[in-house]
Amino acid sequence: MTIPASHIKKRREAMGLTVTDLAGKLGVDKSFISRVEAGERSLSDAQSQALAAVLNVPADLLLLESGKLPADVQGAIDADTAAAVAAVRARAEQMAITHPKAPKRAFTPHATPISLAPDIEGRIPARIEVSKASTTYRAHSYHTKVPPSAIKPFIEVFTEPGDLISDPFCGSGMTGVAALDSGRNAILSDLSPAAVHIARNYTAPCDPKAFRAAFERLRDAVEPTMSWLYTPVGAKRPIEYTVWSDVFRCEACEKPVRDMYTDRNRIALGRLWRGVLAEPDDRLRRALAFAFTNTAWHGTRMRRFNARGGHRPLTGTLYVPQLSAEANVLEVMRKKIGQLQAYYQALGAPTETPHVLMGSATQLTGVADASVDYVFTDPPFGSNIFYADCNLIWESWLGRITDPTREAVVNRSLSVASGGKSLKDYAGLMTASMKEIARVLKPGGWATVVFHNTDGDVWAALSAAAREAGFEFHEAASLDRKQQSHKGYKGREGGVRCAN
Ligand SMILES: C[S@@+](CC[C@H](N)C(=O)[O-])C[C@H]1O[C@@H](n2cnc3c(N)ncnc32)[C@H](O)[C@@H]1O
């Protein structure tokens, strides 16, 4: 075997060994070492093991540098090449998009406490107009998104520029977007890897031109596969979408429930995803993955056909319609890249950007006591939406799924081991979360909690959780008919740490 001469020689010299020393240790003559170092002789496996031991480098490294694979790896490939390749790819994909669990820097308590009686009376508009049509809102879908324009008025009333805002149920990160837009910073977290992926990409700048160029490289790489999949034989142009009418049969008829993707879209998305992961620049890879996850959602059978155009899946559910519009996923991604390019252009390059962490609101790891000026959050409400289930569409690509046992929902259809929870369990999780919110808030700090559920028991559980954590209710403001109200709490006087 021939090992790159420069490596052996460099290492030997760095260790202060002469050729004679090394030859002596290996029990070979000097000229043999000189010829190995000159790349004229190769080593047997046993000699390379001995050399690795003397030079104190991993034997695998010497083998790899000489173009050979370690015996166990070679054995795995010989035994089942397809499985070995699949395992390597699966691992690479899992490691491609990772999320931090603690902030890069520690947040320490501020010297200035919150004003004991901020002048908020009459400052929160009774009705807040929200727009769901903005470039920002539409950049990536998520269930029950609160538009940043609805969050900004609260931020402006409860904080000053430069303050730190927390949202421990951040979902798509709209609180962070609103904070950035108001000159504040934010620390966001969510249990779901998909939510963290979306929130991070929403709040981290990305060079729009480099992003476009990265997509163009990706498009060129996948073009042959896409053309094969979406251009009918004899046609000159690819199809944009295909309408499928499905007839579903129950299991009694021994027909399995269909996959979420047509075969064609599964292959196309797989090829696109591989191309995304091949992007070497970390920020661009994440941004392409951001465009991809929204595309993958549109690539499912959940995309409802709409005769007036604008085919899309329903959010907050895994509903598969009878009439679905199978998208040309490259075309969907191309349009999404255009929207995101405009979004990143508008976002610019803020000096400080939100920290987005993955973790449960019941344990805000890395967020110091009394370090946050204000909390704006929108937790799950009872059994309105099962985020862990809905986010599977994105998380199956990202390689990591939400831990359903920690999800703050009421779910009576699952076993406890699989994440099933009663109203009491939900109340327990909300109490623990409220206590964490109280812990990280500065003394006397305020929290605004979005509430969108008509179930009185769920409201009672949430109010009890807030009271138990030491908050007192202050006032409610109506948001709009779909996102009905906001409830404000103020740290209760004489109560736990968050109190004045
Ligand atoms: C109503 S959504 C938030 C949506 C968000 N306001 C937005 O604009 O996108 C609630 C979020 O809570 C998350 N969640 C559920 N249980 C959690 C827990 N124990 N800790 C942290 N996040 C949790 C879900 O993953 C979901 O993203």
Side-chain angles (χ1 to χ4, degrees):
M1 148 199 346
T2 311
I3 297 170
S6 56
H7 286 89
I8 298 176
K9 190 169 176 204
K10 258 196 209 152
R11 181 78 183 165
R12 172 178 63 71
E13 288 174 350
M15 294 178 79
L17 295 174
T18 63
V19 172
T20 315
D21 296 335
L22 188 55
K25 285 179 186 290
L26 292 178
V28 293
D29 59 40
K30 258 172 61 182
S31 65
F32 179 80
I33 296 294
S34 301
R35 288 172 64 200
V36 167
E37 288 189 348
E40 295 164 9
R41 277 295 302 261
S42 52
L43 294 165
S44 68
D45 284 0
Q47 284 168 330
S48 89
Q49 294 280 351
L51 180 64
V54 173
L55 296 181
N56 193 23
V57 294
D60 284 357
L61 203 65
L62 287 185
L63 278 172
L64 291 170
E65 285 187 339
S66 68
K68 274 185 133 187
L69 290 172
D72 55 339
V73 178
Q74 187 61 57
I77 291 175
D78 292 344
D80 190 343
T81 311
V85 170
V88 170
R89 290 228 167 108
R91 181 163 165 71
E93 288 177 10
Q94 269 172 21
M95 293 175 66
I97 312 281
T98 53
H99 302 305
K101 293 209 163 110
K104 278 193 191 135
R105 70 179 169 86
F107 290 99
T108 46
H110 276 236
T112 44
I114 286 276
S115 154
L116 295 188
D119 179 18
I120 66 158
E121 299 306 328
R123 289 183 60 206
I124 300 174
R127 183 176 169 76
I128 297 163
E129 296 296 324
V130 294
S131 163
K132 292 186 170 182
S134 66
T135 315
T136 303
Y137 192 83
R138 297 167 76 104
H140 200 294
S141 61
Y142 198 69
H143 338 282
T144 62
K145 262 166 101 174
V146 178
S149 56
I151 306 174
K152 260 182 88 172
F154 290 88
I155 289 182
E156 283 164 2
V157 168
F158 288 106
T159 64
E160 299 290 335
D163 277 357
L164 182 66
I165 299 159
S166 158
D167 182 350
F169 294 97
C170 73
S172 57
M174 293 300 102
T175 303
V177 173
L180 270 179
D181 204 27
S182 327
R184 277 70 160 170
N185 204 355
I187 180 151
L188 314 172
S189 53
D190 199 286
L191 187 64
S192 156
V196 175
H197 157 74
I198 295 168
R200 284 184 86 186
N201 279 290
Y202 250 123
T203 54
C206 180
D207 179 338
K209 280 197 186 132
F211 178 54
R212 158 69 55 185
F215 172 68
E216 282 167 6
R217 288 194 298 274
L218 168 65
R219 188 198 53 202
D220 291 348
V222 303
E223 175 51 31
T225 310
M226 299 300 156
S227 172
W228 164 63
L229 288 168
Y230 294 114
T231 310
V233 178
K236 292 207 173 89
R237 293 185 27 202
I239 50 167
E240 204 171 307
Y241 66 88
T242 310
V243 180
W244 294 99
S245 171
D246 275 339
V247 177
F248 289 90
R249 303 220 180 133
C250 69
E251 283 193 9
C253 314
E254 294 181 6
K255 293 272 181 203
V257 175
R258 299 279 188 97
D259 285 344
M260 298 307 276
Y261 301 99
T262 57
D263 287 346
R264 170 164 62 182
N265 273 6
R266 202 176 45 245
I267 295 169
L269 286 166
R271 179 65 192 94
L272 263 181
W273 185 234
R274 204 143 50 81
V276 168
L277 297 184
E279 167 55 49
D281 180 271
D282 185 63
R283 181 66 195 102
L284 294 176
R285 186 173 64 250
R286 285 176 192 279
L288 288 175
F290 187 43
F292 175 89
T293 42
N294 205 67
T295 302
W297 187 65
H298 275 278
T300 60
R301 290 169 185 269
M302 299 191 300
R303 192 168 186 253
R304 288 172 305 156
F305 172 71
N306 181 346
R308 283 170 295 169
H311 321 297
R312 52 188 292 116
L314 274 177
T315 50
T317 167
L318 294 174
Y319 170 69
V320 177
Q322 268 192 332
L323 266 189
S324 69
E326 184 203 23
N328 173 332
V329 294
L330 182 61
E331 189 52 21
V332 173
M333 187 152 172
R334 187 186 64 75
K335 287 189 185 143
K336 183 48 67 185
I337 295 285
Q339 287 172 0
L340 289 180
Q341 201 183 352
Y343 176 72
Y344 285 129
Q345 187 74 46
L347 182 63
T351 41
E352 256 209 298
T353 54
H355 303 257
V356 190
L357 312 171
M358 195 170 81
S360 173
T362 55
Q363 199 180 359
L364 298 176
T365 311
V367 188
D369 298 358
S371 61
V372 164
D373 295 279
Y374 172 58
V375 170
F376 183 100
T377 199
D378 173 24
F381 284 97
S383 45
N384 268 13
I385 290 178
F386 300 114
Y387 294 90
D389 291 355
C390 294
N391 291 359
L392 261 179
I393 296 294
W394 297 311
E395 292 176 355
S396 57
W397 293 102
L398 295 169
R400 194 163 306 168
I401 61 168
T402 304
D403 175 357
T405 61
R406 303 176 80 193
E407 192 186 11
V409 288
V410 179
N411 190 339
R412 297 191 179 90
S413 52
L414 291 179
S415 68
V416 173
S418 314
K421 284 174 208 85
S422 63
L423 183 65
K424 197 168 159 228
D425 299 326
Y426 168 77
L429 286 166
M430 288 314 300
T431 303
S433 304
M434 285 291 177
K435 284 185 175 167
E436 274 296 85
I437 289 175
R439 177 184 71 75
V440 301
L441 263 178
K442 288 186 199 172
W446 291 77
T448 299
V449 180
V450 180
F451 182 69
H452 44 91
N453 187 304
T454 49
D455 186 336
D457 289 343
V458 176
W459 170 240
L462 179 80
S463 330
R467 277 196 308 277
E468 209 179 320
F471 287 98
E472 67 183 23
F473 178 77
H474 189 268
E475 87 177 76
S478 170
L479 185 56
D480 73 5
R481 281 166 61 200
K482 283 191 186 116
Q483 290 149 12
Q484 286 175 350
S485 57
H486 279 73
K487 304 286 183 190
Y489 292 96
K490 183 175 191 300
R492 184 192 282 175
E493 310 222 340
V496 294
R497 300 185 79 123
C498 67
N500 293 319

